Amino acid sequence: MPGLDRKYRKEIASKPLDILHCHTMGGQFKMAKKLKKKWDVPIVATLHAQADLDLKKFLKAQWLVNK
């Protein structure tokens, strides 16, 4: 849970990246969204089974969840 791991957050935030990659739509994705704004970089997400359930929590556009 990156949101709760201060050492992890500090380490990642201290190294400017040119792309962010997430495997989940939970805490990892929330952190990536903050870093995306900070560095103006793209986020690539690799989603697995039942990702649509997680996407519904984070996206307001149902059409995008369906895609």
Side-chain angles (χ1 to χ4, degrees):
M1 298 180 70
L4 300 177
D5 189 337
R6 183 178 296 159
K7 183 178 176 183
Y8 174 82
R9 287 192 328 257
K10 187 175 181 178
E11 179 75 19
I12 294 298
S14 70
K15 299 177 180 179
L17 304 171
D18 43 346
I19 192 166
L20 299 163
H21 180 228
C22 296
H23 286 274
T24 68
M25 294 302 290
Q28 199 182 65
F29 189 74
K30 285 182 181 180
M31 184 175 177
K33 286 191 331 184
K34 289 179 183 178
L35 295 174
K36 176 196 178 357
K37 288 180 183 177
K38 179 178 179 178
W39 297 322
D40 191 30
V41 297
I43 298 176
V44 175
T46 304
L47 305 176
H48 304 281
Q50 297 186 344
D52 60 327
L53 300 176
D54 291 330
L55 285 170
K56 287 179 184 178
K57 294 177 188 175
F58 295 98
L59 300 176
K60 296 182 195 256
Q62 182 62 42
W63 67 270
L64 192 54
V65 172
N66 295 340
K67 291 267 183 203

